[in-house]
Amino acid sequence: MSRNFWLIVAVLVALAIGTQYLVWINRDRTNEQTYAGPPRSDYTLTNFTLDALNTDGQRTFQVSGPYLARRGDDGSIFVTTPDYELVDGSGNPWKGKSDSAWVDKDGTLMELRGHVEMHRQGGEKAQPLDLVTSNLTTWPKDKKMETAEAATITQAGSILSGIGLRGDLNEKTLELLSDVESTIQPKQRRK
C-alpha cells in the first residue's frame, strides 16, 4: 500500500469527522424534557363567590360555585356549576345557572356552557322573565348576550321559542333569530 492510499484514507476520515462535527453543531436544540401537557392552574377555589367590578367600581357580575380554577398562562377562570348574577341597564338583577362557565382575564367575556337558565325578577321597572338556552356568550360590562342554540323566553302570558338569541340588557331587548314560535295566553287566564 502506497503512501497516496494512506493520505486519501486520512483525508476521508478527516472529512467524515468534520461533517459529523458540523451536523452536531447545527442540530435542533429543543429540550426533550420540556413538559407540554395541559395548562396548569395558578390557583383553585372551592365554595367561592367572585364579584367582578368595572372601572367605576360598580359590580358588573357575580359568580359563585363549588369550584374555580384560574389559568396562569392567560389569566382566565373556569367555574363548574356556577350560580351567577348579571345586572341590566336599569339595575335589575338577572340570576342564573349553567353547567360550567369560562371568564376571560378582564371579565369582559363570560361563556356560560351547557344548559343555561336565567331569571329576571319582577319589580317596578320590569316584569319577571325566564330564559332557557345553552352555550350563552355574555359580555357583562357591555350588558350583551348571544347564542346560536335554541332558546325559550317565558314571561307572564307568553312563551317565545326559537333558534339563536341576541340580547342587550341596556336596551332591555331579547331577539330570537330564526324558527320563532310563540304562545300567548288571553289576559283573563293570566295570573
Side-chain angles (χ1 to χ4, degrees), residues 82 84 98 100-101 110-114 116 118 134-138:
Y84 49 85
S98 63
S100 64
M110 179 167 63
E111 293 179 2
L112 304 170
R113 297 175 177 167
V116 177
M118 295 182 79
S134 56
N135 301 325
L136 183 68
T137 302
T138 67

Side-chain angles (χ1 to χ4, degrees), residues 165-177:
L165 173 124
R166 265 187 252 149
D168 186 338
L169 299 181
N170 283 320
E171 301 293 323
K172 297 184 203 126
T173 60
L174 295 175
E175 175 186 8
L176 294 169
L177 303 178

Side-chain angles (χ1 to χ4, degrees), residues 101-119:
W102 174 85
V103 182
D104 73 344
K105 177 182 179 179
D106 301 323
T108 57
L109 177 66
M110 179 167 63
E111 293 179 2
L112 304 170
R113 297 175 177 167
H115 181 75
V116 177
E117 295 178 7
M118 295 182 79
H119 174 73

Side-chain angles (χ1 to χ4, degrees), residues 22-87:
L22 288 173
V23 168
W24 182 74
I25 286 177
N26 293 320
R27 74 186 184 283
D28 184 20
R29 296 179 188 236
T30 57
N31 184 357
E32 288 102 22
Q33 295 183 7
T34 301
Y35 178 69
R40 298 187 60 139
S41 298
D42 270 0
Y43 59 83
T44 60
L45 301 174
T46 56
N47 299 322
F48 71 95
T49 298
L50 171 81
D51 287 318
L53 307 176
N54 64 15
T55 55
D56 299 328
Q58 297 171 331
R59 185 172 73 187
T60 57
F61 69 93
Q62 180 183 70
V63 64
S64 61
Y67 183 78
L68 173 145
R70 181 183 183 275
R71 283 182 49 176
D73 60 343
D74 66 1
S76 63
I77 61 172
F78 294 89
V79 183
T80 57
T81 59
D83 292 319
Y84 49 85
E85 182 177 308
L86 303 170
V87 180

